[in-house]
Amino acid sequence: MSFPNFPPKPPTRQIRGLQEEDGTTITVYQAYPSTIATAAVTHQRLDASPEFRTTRMTWIKPSWAWMLYRSGYSYKDPGQERILAIKMKRQDFLGLLGRGVLTHGTAPPRPEPNQEQEMTSDSQVQTSRGGGKKAASEESTRESKRKDRLQSMDVKIQWDPERTVRLHSLNYRSIQIGIPAGLIKEWAQDMIVSTEDVTDKARALKRILDERPDVNDEELAELGLIPEETEFEVPVELRSRLGMRIDGLAMASKP
C-alpha cells in the first residue's frame, strides 16, 4: 500500500529550518525574558539590553516546533516568555557548525589555527634542546592552556527528538547548537541579520490547538502559524563532524 500524499520521513539527523529563497539566511529561535526581547527587537541588537549575558553558553534551534516544546509555547516560565526568530547569515551559521563538537559520542579533532600549531612546534623544539624537567613542565602548562582556549570556543552540537507543533516526539532528530561564551558577543553583534518577536504566533497556535483539536498542519500553515522549514544543505566535510550519518555512513550531500 502506498501513500503518495504522505511526506517521506526525513533522515534521522538532518538540519531543517526557515530559509530565504536564495539560501542566504536561516532562522533560529531562542526564548528570553521580556526585558531582553523588547530591547533586542527595538534596537535590532540581541545584546541591546544590559541584562543580556555573554558569560555562559546559549542554545539556538532552527526548529519552530522544538522551540515551542522547549518554551511551552512561551508559557513555561518568565525566563522564556518571549520567543525571538533570529535570522542568521548562512555562512555564519556554517561557521558555527564548523566549530561543532558533539555532546554525545566522538567528534573528529577540532580544527586548530596555524598560529597555535606554530607555537606548539616552537615549544617542542625548545624542550628537545635540553630544557629538562622545568622546560617540560612549562610546555605541559602551555599545552594545557592552549587546549583550554580551544575548548572555550567549541560549539556544542546536540541532536534531540524532533517535535510536532502539538509537542509530540518524532522518530527523527532536531539539531540544537550551543554557542560558547567566547563567541556570544561576536554572534550577537556580527552574525544576526534581523530579530523578530514571534511570541504572539506561538500563543495563537496554542489557542487554536486547544479550541480545535482536529485542526491539521496544512490549515495551521495557511494561517501562518507553521513556517515552511526545508533542508539546510551541509557540506560533506562537515557532516561527519556533526554526526550526520545513515547506517554508519556519512550522508552524501547534493551537488
Side-chain angles (χ1 to χ4, degrees), residues 101-157:
V101 175
L102 292 171
T103 57
H104 301 290
T106 302
R110 63 178 62 85
E112 301 181 9
N114 291 334
Q115 183 179 3
E116 294 282 352
Q117 296 174 347
E118 290 168 2
M119 289 172 59
T120 303
S121 299
D122 291 344
S123 299
Q124 290 171 343
V125 169
Q126 292 174 6
T127 302
S128 65
R129 288 177 178 172
K133 292 183 178 179
K134 181 178 179 180
S137 176
E138 291 175 350
E139 165 59 16
S140 177
T141 300
R142 281 193 294 268
E143 178 66 11
S144 177
K145 290 181 177 179
R146 184 181 71 87
K147 288 182 177 179
D148 288 344
R149 287 197 303 272
L150 289 173
Q151 289 176 349
S152 70
M153 301 297 278
D154 283 348
V155 172
K156 300 298 185 183
I157 301 297

Short mmCIF file of all heavy atoms in Angstrom, two decimals, residues 101-157:
data_model
loop_
_atom_site.label_atom_id
_atom_site.label_comp_id
_atom_site.label_asym_id
_atom_site.label_seq_id
_atom_site.Cartn_x
_atom_site.Cartn_y
_atom_site.Cartn_z
N VAL A 101 31.25 20.41 18.14
CA VAL A 101 31.72 19.23 18.85
C VAL A 101 30.48 18.55 19.44
O VAL A 101 29.70 19.19 20.16
CB VAL A 101 32.70 19.59 19.99
CG1 VAL A 101 33.07 18.35 20.79
CG2 VAL A 101 33.95 20.24 19.43
N LEU A 102 30.29 17.29 19.14
CA LEU A 102 29.10 16.57 19.60
C LEU A 102 29.11 16.43 21.12
O LEU A 102 30.15 16.16 21.72
CB LEU A 102 29.03 15.19 18.96
CG LEU A 102 28.76 15.14 17.45
CD1 LEU A 102 28.95 13.73 16.93
CD2 LEU A 102 27.37 15.64 17.14
N THR A 103 27.94 16.63 21.74
CA THR A 103 27.85 16.45 23.18
C THR A 103 27.83 14.98 23.56
O THR A 103 28.13 14.62 24.69
CB THR A 103 26.58 17.11 23.74
OG1 THR A 103 25.43 16.56 23.08
CG2 THR A 103 26.61 18.61 23.54
N HIS A 104 27.48 14.10 22.61
CA HIS A 104 27.49 12.66 22.83
C HIS A 104 28.29 12.01 21.71
O HIS A 104 28.21 12.41 20.56
CB HIS A 104 26.06 12.09 22.83
CG HIS A 104 25.18 12.70 23.86
ND1 HIS A 104 25.35 12.46 25.20
CD2 HIS A 104 24.14 13.56 23.76
CE1 HIS A 104 24.42 13.13 25.88
NE2 HIS A 104 23.68 13.81 25.02
N GLY A 105 29.07 11.01 22.07
CA GLY A 105 29.87 10.33 21.04
C GLY A 105 31.17 11.07 20.80
O GLY A 105 31.54 12.01 21.50
N THR A 106 31.88 10.64 19.78
CA THR A 106 33.19 11.19 19.47
C THR A 106 33.14 11.97 18.17
O THR A 106 32.73 11.46 17.14
CB THR A 106 34.24 10.07 19.31
OG1 THR A 106 34.27 9.32 20.54
CG2 THR A 106 35.62 10.64 19.05
N ALA A 107 33.57 13.21 18.24
CA ALA A 107 33.64 14.06 17.04
C ALA A 107 35.06 14.06 16.52
O ALA A 107 36.01 13.76 17.24
CB ALA A 107 33.21 15.48 17.39
N PRO A 108 35.27 14.37 15.23
CA PRO A 108 36.62 14.49 14.70
C PRO A 108 37.40 15.56 15.45
O PRO A 108 36.80 16.42 16.09
CB PRO A 108 36.38 14.90 13.24
CG PRO A 108 34.99 14.49 12.95
CD PRO A 108 34.24 14.62 14.24
N PRO A 109 38.72 15.51 15.41
CA PRO A 109 39.51 16.53 16.10
C PRO A 109 39.11 17.92 15.65
O PRO A 109 38.85 18.14 14.48
CB PRO A 109 40.96 16.19 15.69
CG PRO A 109 40.92 14.75 15.28
CD PRO A 109 39.56 14.54 14.70
N ARG A 110 39.06 18.85 16.60
CA ARG A 110 38.70 20.23 16.26
C ARG A 110 39.80 20.87 15.44
O ARG A 110 40.99 20.61 15.66
CB ARG A 110 38.43 21.04 17.53
CG ARG A 110 39.64 21.19 18.42
CD ARG A 110 39.31 22.06 19.63
NE ARG A 110 38.28 21.47 20.44
CZ ARG A 110 38.52 20.56 21.38
NH1 ARG A 110 39.75 20.13 21.59
NH2 ARG A 110 37.54 20.07 22.09
N PRO A 111 39.46 21.72 14.49
CA PRO A 111 40.47 22.40 13.70
C PRO A 111 41.26 23.38 14.56
O PRO A 111 40.69 24.02 15.44
CB PRO A 111 39.65 23.15 12.63
CG PRO A 111 38.31 23.33 13.26
CD PRO A 111 38.10 22.12 14.11
N GLU A 112 42.55 23.49 14.31
CA GLU A 112 43.39 24.39 15.08
C GLU A 112 44.02 25.42 14.16
O GLU A 112 44.50 25.08 13.08
CB GLU A 112 44.51 23.61 15.80
CG GLU A 112 43.97 22.55 16.75
CD GLU A 112 45.08 21.82 17.46
OE1 GLU A 112 46.24 22.25 17.33
OE2 GLU A 112 44.80 20.82 18.13
N PRO A 113 44.05 26.69 14.57
CA PRO A 113 44.68 27.72 13.76
C PRO A 113 46.15 27.43 13.57
O PRO A 113 46.82 26.86 14.42
CB PRO A 113 44.46 29.00 14.60
CG PRO A 113 43.34 28.66 15.54
CD PRO A 113 43.45 27.20 15.80
N ASN A 114 46.71 27.89 12.42
CA ASN A 114 48.13 27.68 12.15
C ASN A 114 49.00 28.29 13.22
O ASN A 114 50.05 27.75 13.57
CB ASN A 114 48.49 28.29 10.78
CG ASN A 114 47.85 27.53 9.63
OD1 ASN A 114 47.57 26.34 9.76
ND2 ASN A 114 47.62 28.20 8.52
N GLN A 115 48.55 29.44 13.75
CA GLN A 115 49.35 30.10 14.76
C GLN A 115 49.52 29.20 15.98
O GLN A 115 50.59 29.12 16.57
CB GLN A 115 48.70 31.42 15.18
CG GLN A 115 49.52 32.21 16.20
CD GLN A 115 48.85 33.51 16.57
OE1 GLN A 115 47.76 33.80 16.11
NE2 GLN A 115 49.51 34.29 17.40
N GLU A 116 48.45 28.52 16.35
CA GLU A 116 48.53 27.63 17.50
C GLU A 116 49.50 26.50 17.22
O GLU A 116 50.28 26.09 18.07
CB GLU A 116 47.14 27.06 17.80
CG GLU A 116 46.13 28.08 18.26
CD GLU A 116 46.30 28.46 19.72
OE1 GLU A 116 47.12 27.81 20.40
OE2 GLU A 116 45.65 29.41 20.16
N GLN A 117 49.48 25.98 16.00
CA GLN A 117 50.37 24.89 15.65
C GLN A 117 51.82 25.33 15.68
O GLN A 117 52.71 24.61 16.12
CB GLN A 117 49.99 24.36 14.26
CG GLN A 117 48.60 23.75 14.22
CD GLN A 117 48.18 23.38 12.81
OE1 GLN A 117 48.80 23.77 11.84
NE2 GLN A 117 47.12 22.62 12.71
N GLU A 118 52.08 26.57 15.19
CA GLU A 118 53.44 27.07 15.18
C GLU A 118 53.96 27.27 16.59
O GLU A 118 55.10 26.98 16.90
CB GLU A 118 53.48 28.39 14.41
CG GLU A 118 53.25 28.21 12.91
CD GLU A 118 53.00 29.54 12.22
OE1 GLU A 118 53.03 30.58 12.91
OE2 GLU A 118 52.77 29.52 11.00
N MET A 119 53.11 27.77 17.50
CA MET A 119 53.51 27.96 18.88
C MET A 119 53.90 26.64 19.51
O MET A 119 54.89 26.53 20.22
CB MET A 119 52.38 28.61 19.68
CG MET A 119 52.12 30.07 19.34
SD MET A 119 50.64 30.70 20.14
CE MET A 119 51.04 30.41 21.86
N THR A 120 53.11 25.59 19.22
CA THR A 120 53.39 24.28 19.77
C THR A 120 54.71 23.75 19.24
O THR A 120 55.53 23.21 19.98
CB THR A 120 52.26 23.30 19.42
OG1 THR A 120 51.03 23.83 19.90
CG2 THR A 120 52.51 21.94 20.02
N SER A 121 54.94 23.90 17.94
CA SER A 121 56.17 23.39 17.34
C SER A 121 57.39 24.08 17.93
O SER A 121 58.39 23.44 18.26
CB SER A 121 56.14 23.62 15.82
OG SER A 121 55.07 22.92 15.25
N ASP A 122 57.35 25.42 18.10
CA ASP A 122 58.46 26.14 18.67
C ASP A 122 58.75 25.67 20.09
O ASP A 122 59.90 25.50 20.49
CB ASP A 122 58.16 27.64 18.70
CG ASP A 122 58.13 28.24 17.31
OD1 ASP A 122 58.65 27.58 16.39
OD2 ASP A 122 57.59 29.35 17.14
N SER A 123 57.69 25.43 20.85
CA SER A 123 57.86 25.00 22.23
C SER A 123 58.48 23.61 22.28
O SER A 123 59.33 23.32 23.12
CB SER A 123 56.50 24.97 22.96
OG SER A 123 55.94 26.26 22.97
N GLN A 124 58.08 22.74 21.37
CA GLN A 124 58.63 21.39 21.34
C GLN A 124 60.12 21.42 21.02
O GLN A 124 60.91 20.66 21.58
CB GLN A 124 57.87 20.56 20.31
CG GLN A 124 56.45 20.24 20.73
CD GLN A 124 55.65 19.60 19.62
OE1 GLN A 124 56.03 19.66 18.46
NE2 GLN A 124 54.54 19.00 19.99
N VAL A 125 60.53 22.32 20.12
CA VAL A 125 61.94 22.43 19.78
C VAL A 125 62.74 22.87 20.99
O VAL A 125 63.79 22.32 21.31
CB VAL A 125 62.13 23.44 18.62
CG1 VAL A 125 63.60 23.76 18.43
CG2 VAL A 125 61.55 22.87 17.34
N GLN A 126 62.23 23.86 21.74
CA GLN A 126 62.93 24.34 22.91
C GLN A 126 63.08 23.23 23.94
O GLN A 126 64.13 23.08 24.56
CB GLN A 126 62.18 25.53 23.50
CG GLN A 126 62.22 26.77 22.60
CD GLN A 126 61.34 27.88 23.15
OE1 GLN A 126 60.79 27.75 24.24
NE2 GLN A 126 61.21 28.95 22.38
N THR A 127 62.00 22.45 24.11
CA THR A 127 62.06 21.38 25.09
C THR A 127 63.08 20.33 24.68
O THR A 127 63.85 19.82 25.49
CB THR A 127 60.67 20.73 25.23
OG1 THR A 127 59.75 21.73 25.62
CG2 THR A 127 60.69 19.62 26.26
N SER A 128 63.14 20.00 23.39
CA SER A 128 64.03 18.95 22.92
C SER A 128 65.49 19.36 22.99
O SER A 128 66.37 18.53 22.92
CB SER A 128 63.66 18.59 21.47
OG SER A 128 63.92 19.70 20.63
N ARG A 129 65.77 20.67 23.13
CA ARG A 129 67.15 21.13 23.19
C ARG A 129 67.72 21.08 24.60
O ARG A 129 68.76 21.66 24.88
CB ARG A 129 67.23 22.56 22.65
CG ARG A 129 67.05 22.61 21.14
CD ARG A 129 67.05 24.03 20.63
NE ARG A 129 66.94 24.06 19.18
CZ ARG A 129 66.76 25.17 18.48
NH1 ARG A 129 66.67 26.35 19.10
NH2 ARG A 129 66.66 25.11 17.17
N GLY A 130 67.04 20.43 25.50
CA GLY A 130 67.65 20.22 26.80
C GLY A 130 67.14 21.11 27.89
O GLY A 130 67.88 21.41 28.84
N GLY A 131 65.93 21.57 27.78
CA GLY A 131 65.37 22.41 28.84
C GLY A 131 65.14 21.65 30.13
O GLY A 131 64.93 22.24 31.17
N GLY A 132 65.16 20.32 30.05
CA GLY A 132 65.00 19.49 31.24
C GLY A 132 63.59 19.50 31.78
O GLY A 132 62.63 19.83 31.10
N LYS A 133 63.47 19.13 33.04
CA LYS A 133 62.16 18.99 33.67
C LYS A 133 61.39 20.30 33.70
O LYS A 133 60.18 20.34 33.52
CB LYS A 133 62.32 18.43 35.08
CG LYS A 133 62.81 17.00 35.14
CD LYS A 133 62.86 16.50 36.56
CE LYS A 133 63.31 15.04 36.61
NZ LYS A 133 63.39 14.55 38.01
N LYS A 134 62.10 21.41 33.95
CA LYS A 134 61.43 22.70 34.03
C LYS A 134 60.80 23.06 32.69
O LYS A 134 59.64 23.50 32.63
CB LYS A 134 62.43 23.78 34.43
CG LYS A 134 61.79 25.16 34.57
CD LYS A 134 62.80 26.19 35.00
CE LYS A 134 62.15 27.56 35.12
NZ LYS A 134 63.13 28.60 35.55
N ALA A 135 61.57 22.86 31.61
CA ALA A 135 61.05 23.15 30.28
C ALA A 135 59.86 22.26 29.96
O ALA A 135 58.87 22.69 29.37
CB ALA A 135 62.14 23.00 29.23
N ALA A 136 59.97 20.98 30.34
CA ALA A 136 58.87 20.05 30.07
C ALA A 136 57.62 20.45 30.82
O ALA A 136 56.50 20.37 30.31
CB ALA A 136 59.29 18.63 30.46
N SER A 137 57.81 20.91 32.08
CA SER A 137 56.67 21.34 32.88
C SER A 137 56.02 22.58 32.27
O SER A 137 54.80 22.69 32.21
CB SER A 137 57.13 21.63 34.30
OG SER A 137 56.06 22.14 35.07
N GLU A 138 56.87 23.53 31.82
CA GLU A 138 56.35 24.74 31.20
C GLU A 138 55.59 24.42 29.92
O GLU A 138 54.54 25.00 29.64
CB GLU A 138 57.49 25.72 30.91
CG GLU A 138 58.10 26.32 32.17
CD GLU A 138 59.30 27.18 31.86
OE1 GLU A 138 59.75 27.15 30.68
OE2 GLU A 138 59.79 27.87 32.76
N GLU A 139 56.15 23.47 29.16
CA GLU A 139 55.48 23.07 27.92
C GLU A 139 54.13 22.42 28.21
O GLU A 139 53.14 22.68 27.53
CB GLU A 139 56.37 22.09 27.15
CG GLU A 139 55.68 21.30 26.03
CD GLU A 139 55.07 22.21 24.97
OE1 GLU A 139 55.43 23.41 24.91
OE2 GLU A 139 54.24 21.72 24.21
N SER A 140 54.09 21.59 29.26
CA SER A 140 52.84 20.94 29.64
C SER A 140 51.79 21.97 30.04
O SER A 140 50.62 21.86 29.68
CB SER A 140 53.08 19.97 30.79
OG SER A 140 51.87 19.39 31.22
N THR A 141 52.22 23.01 30.77
CA THR A 141 51.30 24.07 31.19
C THR A 141 50.78 24.84 29.99
O THR A 141 49.60 25.15 29.88
CB THR A 141 52.01 25.04 32.15
OG1 THR A 141 52.44 24.30 33.32
CG2 THR A 141 51.05 26.16 32.58
N ARG A 142 51.71 25.16 29.05
CA ARG A 142 51.30 25.88 27.85
C ARG A 142 50.30 25.07 27.03
O ARG A 142 49.32 25.58 26.51
CB ARG A 142 52.52 26.23 27.00
CG ARG A 142 53.30 27.44 27.49
CD ARG A 142 54.28 27.91 26.44
NE ARG A 142 55.33 26.93 26.19
CZ ARG A 142 56.50 26.91 26.83
NH1 ARG A 142 56.76 27.81 27.77
NH2 ARG A 142 57.40 26.00 26.54
N GLU A 143 50.58 23.77 26.91
CA GLU A 143 49.69 22.91 26.14
C GLU A 143 48.32 22.82 26.78
O GLU A 143 47.28 22.84 26.11
CB GLU A 143 50.30 21.51 26.03
CG GLU A 143 49.45 20.47 25.28
CD GLU A 143 49.29 20.80 23.80
OE1 GLU A 143 50.00 21.70 23.30
OE2 GLU A 143 48.46 20.15 23.15
N SER A 144 48.29 22.75 28.12
CA SER A 144 47.02 22.69 28.83
C SER A 144 46.22 23.97 28.61
O SER A 144 45.01 23.92 28.36
CB SER A 144 47.27 22.48 30.32
OG SER A 144 46.04 22.48 31.03
N LYS A 145 46.88 25.13 28.68
CA LYS A 145 46.20 26.40 28.46
C LYS A 145 45.72 26.52 27.03
O LYS A 145 44.64 27.05 26.76
CB LYS A 145 47.14 27.56 28.80
CG LYS A 145 47.43 27.70 30.29
CD LYS A 145 48.35 28.89 30.55
CE LYS A 145 48.58 29.06 32.05
NZ LYS A 145 49.48 30.21 32.33
N ARG A 146 46.53 26.02 26.09
CA ARG A 146 46.15 26.07 24.68
C ARG A 146 44.87 25.25 24.45
O ARG A 146 43.95 25.69 23.77
CB ARG A 146 47.28 25.52 23.81
CG ARG A 146 47.01 25.61 22.31
CD ARG A 146 48.18 25.01 21.54
NE ARG A 146 48.20 23.57 21.70
CZ ARG A 146 47.53 22.71 20.92
NH1 ARG A 146 46.78 23.19 19.96
NH2 ARG A 146 47.60 21.43 21.12
N LYS A 147 44.82 24.06 25.05
CA LYS A 147 43.64 23.22 24.91
C LYS A 147 42.42 23.87 25.54
O LYS A 147 41.31 23.80 25.01
CB LYS A 147 43.90 21.84 25.53
CG LYS A 147 44.86 20.98 24.72
CD LYS A 147 45.04 19.62 25.37
CE LYS A 147 45.96 18.73 24.53
NZ LYS A 147 46.16 17.40 25.16
N ASP A 148 42.62 24.53 26.69
CA ASP A 148 41.51 25.21 27.35
C ASP A 148 40.96 26.33 26.46
O ASP A 148 39.75 26.54 26.39
CB ASP A 148 41.96 25.80 28.70
CG ASP A 148 42.17 24.72 29.75
OD1 ASP A 148 41.68 23.59 29.54
OD2 ASP A 148 42.83 25.01 30.77
N ARG A 149 41.88 27.08 25.79
CA ARG A 149 41.44 28.15 24.91
C ARG A 149 40.61 27.61 23.76
O ARG A 149 39.58 28.17 23.39
CB ARG A 149 42.65 28.94 24.36
CG ARG A 149 43.32 29.83 25.36
CD ARG A 149 44.19 30.85 24.65
NE ARG A 149 45.19 30.24 23.79
CZ ARG A 149 46.40 29.87 24.19
NH1 ARG A 149 46.75 30.03 25.47
NH2 ARG A 149 47.26 29.35 23.35
N LEU A 150 41.08 26.51 23.19
CA LEU A 150 40.34 25.92 22.07
C LEU A 150 38.98 25.40 22.52
O LEU A 150 37.97 25.60 21.85
CB LEU A 150 41.16 24.79 21.44
CG LEU A 150 42.40 25.22 20.65
CD1 LEU A 150 43.20 23.99 20.24
CD2 LEU A 150 42.01 26.02 19.42
N GLN A 151 38.96 24.72 23.67
CA GLN A 151 37.70 24.16 24.16
C GLN A 151 36.71 25.25 24.50
O GLN A 151 35.49 25.07 24.35
CB GLN A 151 37.97 23.28 25.38
CG GLN A 151 38.67 21.97 25.02
CD GLN A 151 39.02 21.15 26.25
OE1 GLN A 151 38.92 21.62 27.37
NE2 GLN A 151 39.44 19.92 26.03
N SER A 152 37.19 26.42 24.95
CA SER A 152 36.28 27.51 25.30
C SER A 152 35.58 28.07 24.07
O SER A 152 34.61 28.80 24.19
CB SER A 152 37.05 28.62 26.02
OG SER A 152 37.90 29.30 25.13
N MET A 153 36.08 27.75 22.88
CA MET A 153 35.46 28.22 21.64
C MET A 153 34.68 27.12 20.94
O MET A 153 34.16 27.33 19.85
CB MET A 153 36.55 28.76 20.70
CG MET A 153 37.36 29.91 21.28
SD MET A 153 36.35 31.37 21.63
CE MET A 153 36.30 32.10 20.00
N ASP A 154 34.58 25.95 21.56
CA ASP A 154 33.83 24.85 20.96
C ASP A 154 32.34 25.19 20.91
O ASP A 154 31.76 25.70 21.87
CB ASP A 154 33.99 23.58 21.79
CG ASP A 154 35.33 22.90 21.57
OD1 ASP A 154 36.04 23.27 20.62
OD2 ASP A 154 35.66 21.99 22.36
N VAL A 155 31.73 24.89 19.78
CA VAL A 155 30.28 25.00 19.64
C VAL A 155 29.70 23.61 19.88
O VAL A 155 30.11 22.64 19.24
CB VAL A 155 29.90 25.50 18.23
CG1 VAL A 155 28.40 25.41 18.01
CG2 VAL A 155 30.39 26.94 18.03
N LYS A 156 28.80 23.49 20.81
CA LYS A 156 28.23 22.18 21.16
C LYS A 156 27.10 21.82 20.20
O LYS A 156 26.25 22.66 19.88
CB LYS A 156 27.71 22.18 22.60
CG LYS A 156 28.78 22.48 23.64
CD LYS A 156 29.89 21.44 23.63
CE LYS A 156 30.89 21.71 24.76
NZ LYS A 156 32.01 20.75 24.74
N ILE A 157 27.11 20.57 19.79
CA ILE A 157 26.07 20.06 18.89
C ILE A 157 25.32 18.95 19.59
O ILE A 157 25.92 17.99 20.07
CB ILE A 157 26.69 19.53 17.58
CG1 ILE A 157 27.47 20.62 16.85
CG2 ILE A 157 25.60 18.93 16.69
CD1 ILE A 157 26.64 21.79 16.38
#
